Amino acid sequence: MEDNRSNTPSISPAAIVVAAVFIIVSAIGINWFTSFVPVVLPDQASAESKSVDELFYILVIIGGVVFFLIQGMLLISVIFFRARGDDRSDGPTYHGNPLLELIWTIIPSLVVVFLAVVSFNVWSQNSEPKAAVNMINGEEIAIKVTGARYAWTHTYETGRLDPDGDPIVINSGDALHTYIGQNVDLELRTQDVIHSYWVPAMRVKQDLLPGNPAAGGRPTEIRFTPIRVEGAQYPAEYPIVCAELCGDGHGRMRGTVVVYEDEQQFLEQFYDPAIHAILNPPADPVLRGEIVIQEYVCHSCHVLDSLGWTSRTGPSLNGIADRAGERVPGQSAEEYIVTSVWDAAAFLVPGYAEQMAQFGPDQPDTYQMDAEQLYSIVAYLCTQGEQSDCDLENSTTAIPEAIKTVFGLEVDITFGQGDGEATDAEV
Ligand code: HEC
Ligand SMILES: [Cu+2]
């Protein structure tokens, strides 16, 4: 039977139009895609970022070539080899083509092997342990990150002791402070579900994995070395993002990497003042409370204008002192706030679920809070309102009494020589 389908391409004007549209749309698409480069690939702020970007470009180019090759051949087939008129007959039969099949098996295999080798190289280079990590004043220290729904907490184990012999640990909340050239090596732990610590500008991302808390959890590590970015103002700031959907507050689970120009600027503007503030806590419990409350994850669930908090999982703490006296009959404002922080479930604010984290002396890691810390947090919250229900004149006795009444604990209120101004750099 005569095969009436032509195997010789014939170019119709319509075919030329379709091909032209394909080329124009592809060109616009590529142009549109490259406009996202600054969003997808922000400033290269770490030593690791260059090789990661190179790998990314290799992947995009190979992927792009394959995409256009396949789409182009599809288009050519549709245009030139389509059935014409009311031709319903079968096309010619082909019985394989060993050469073609060899080519399209060998080339993709080579490409995949090439990508595997290149990717493995980049990964192993970038995650390799470095010597001299987290160097501060010529010593290695431990920097730990805790992820908890929905906040990051960074702690610096300074390796120094305060006059009481307790280790000095700086808690810098959701900010990681580092400097150009410091080999950062973070130990990551989660207190609840899986989170992922992602710093796009550093091109690093690492999951935090739940593990047995009694066994110290299941730490993971992340490593990078900040480099100078042309034209940046120092200290420079880069976002930290949670890259693992972890609940309704996942989108708010953000932080900041603050990169100082050199170790000196880091010491002057962050490290030394932080240690100074720990060694000289403000005598005024309210000033102290303002510092202490920011060391906890409260900001990840509450609104509080005076500290710039905007999260809405829990009720707003604006004007909390004005309401605290009327919340629970028979409870003073101090007693109510004291109870709210350590035993939130004792009274649920109408409209809110039992979602507040548990804080207290026996809680793990970043939820651990002693009576002195509670005292200063309550002193601070007592000032949040126009006509505070708290006995502000006598807070040094009223709050410790409330803690005694509710939890039976004595508060040591003898601390503090400082003025709360954490600016003095001599330590
Ligand atoms: C995981 C989210 C979450 C975190 C973290 C959290 N809270 Fe709450 N908080 C809530 C929710 C939800 C409520 C309302 C339900 C209730 O009363 O227990 C609440 C209620 C409160 C109340 C009572 C408010 C009122 O209007 O009566 C206070 C005070 C409070 N929180 C203080 C704090 C402090 C201080 C911290 C940090 C040490 C903190 N919270 C951390 C979710 C949170
Ligand atoms: Cu998260």
Side-chain angles (χ1 to χ4, degrees):
M1 199 180 101
E2 170 79 22
D3 180 6
N4 64 356
R5 180 168 313 172
S6 157
N7 275 330
T8 29
S10 67
I11 302 179
S12 71
I16 296 176
V17 171
V18 173
V21 168
F22 179 72
I23 292 171
I24 292 170
V25 169
S26 307
I28 294 174
I30 291 173
N31 191 33
W32 182 71
F33 180 80
T34 52
S35 74
F36 280 107
V37 167
V39 182
V40 180
L41 305 174
D43 286 343
Q44 298 179 326
S46 75
E48 289 71 18
S49 47
K50 291 203 169 67
S51 58
V52 173
D53 287 3
E54 276 162 23
L55 178 61
F56 179 78
Y57 281 120
I58 292 176
L59 289 170
V60 168
I61 289 169
I62 294 183
V65 167
V66 170
F67 176 82
F68 284 107
L69 201 72
I70 291 176
Q71 298 302 315
M73 293 210 293
L74 199 63
L75 202 71
I76 288 171
S77 313
V78 166
I79 294 171
F80 297 124
F81 301 105
R82 69 187 189 279
R84 281 159 218 280
D86 56 357
D87 173 8
R88 306 213 176 275
S89 64
D90 287 341
T93 312
Y94 292 99
H95 288 283
N97 183 329
L99 180 67
L100 258 183
E101 285 185 25
L102 270 180
I103 292 176
W104 74 46
T105 307
I106 291 175
I107 294 184
S109 311
L110 289 179
V111 169
V112 169
V113 170
F114 166 76
L115 288 180
V117 171
V118 175
S119 310
F120 182 79
N121 268 345
V122 170
W123 175 77
S124 60
Q125 248 174 44
N126 287 355
S127 56
E128 199 174 51
K130 291 175 190 162
V133 296
N134 304 337
M135 293 298 281
I136 296 173
N137 287 323
E139 277 176 53
E140 288 192 12
I141 70 152
I143 308 178
K144 297 189 174 169
V145 180
T146 309
R149 284 186 286 198
Y150 301 100
W152 300 109
T153 309
H154 298 81
T155 48
Y156 292 72
E157 299 186 351
T158 64
R160 300 166 56 167
L161 301 178
D162 69 11
D164 296 339
D166 296 326
I168 300 182
V169 177
I170 300 172
N171 178 325
S172 60
D174 60 9
L176 170 74
H177 297 260
T178 175
Y179 56 87
I180 293 173
Q182 186 186 39
N183 292 333
V184 179
D185 190 331
L186 306 175
E187 196 177 298
L188 313 168
R189 277 194 178 80
T190 172
Q191 271 171 13
D192 34 55
V193 297
I194 303 180
H195 299 279
S196 188
Y197 192 87
W198 180 30
V199 191
M202 305 295 172
R203 307 292 191 275
V204 288
K205 181 162 72 178
Q206 173 62 51
D207 281 8
L208 285 72
L209 305 174
N212 179 3
R218 194 159 134 209
T220 49
E221 268 176 277
I222 196 167
R223 307 185 172 94
F224 62 90
T225 305
I227 54 169
R228 180 175 297 277
V229 175
E230 273 321 306
Q233 293 279 339
Y234 286 94
E237 297 190 355
Y238 304 99
I240 303 167
V241 183
C242 180
E244 183 67 51
L245 186 57
C246 54
D248 66 352
H250 164 69
R252 290 194 312 269
M253 190 165 171
R254 288 174 153 260
T256 313
V257 176
V258 184
V259 178
Y260 296 89
E261 188 147 39
D262 47 29
E263 186 175 2
Q264 174 144 358
Q265 192 186 45
F266 167 89
L267 291 173
E268 280 171 8
Q269 296 191 17
F270 164 68
Y271 200 71
D272 292 343
I275 292 182
H276 179 84
I278 291 170
L279 292 175
N280 305 278
D284 180 347
V286 177
L287 287 178
R288 193 173 143 85
E290 185 177 343
I291 297 171
V292 174
I293 200 169
Q294 296 183 70
E295 294 178 353
Y296 288 91
V297 293
C298 324
H299 68 91
S300 69
C301 292
H302 289 287
V303 167
L304 184 57
D305 292 348
S306 28
L307 296 176
W309 300 353
T310 55
S311 300
R312 299 187 179 277
T313 305
S316 165
L317 296 181
N318 288 336
I320 174 70
D322 297 341
R323 298 185 289 277
E326 292 118 56
R327 281 285 196 224
V328 179
Q331 242 183 2
S332 71
E334 286 87 351
E335 285 167 358
Y336 174 72
I337 302 180
V338 161
T339 315
S340 298
V341 180
W342 273 10
D343 188 10
F347 168 82
L348 291 185
V349 177
Y352 291 90
E354 198 181 316
Q355 276 186 326
M356 178 153 155
Q358 193 77 45
F359 298 92
D362 304 325
Q363 298 300 320
D365 307 312
T366 53
Y367 295 118
Q368 205 271 333
M369 190 188 289
D370 62 27
E372 286 71 31
Q373 287 163 314
L374 176 63
Y375 162 52
S376 48
I377 287 181
V378 175
Y380 176 71
L381 288 178
C382 271
T383 63
Q384 300 301 304
E386 304 274 304
Q387 291 126 5
S388 175
D389 294 339
C390 300
D391 185 355
L392 291 179
E393 320 255 277
N394 301 305
S395 59
T396 49
T397 50
I399 300 170
E401 265 166 33
I403 295 176
K404 180 104 214 253
T405 310
V406 180
F407 294 108
L409 287 176
E410 297 286 347
V411 180
D412 172 14
I413 62 161
T414 59
F415 51 67
Q417 314 296 324
D419 52 10
E421 304 275 324
T423 47
D424 191 346
E426 30 164 327
V427 180

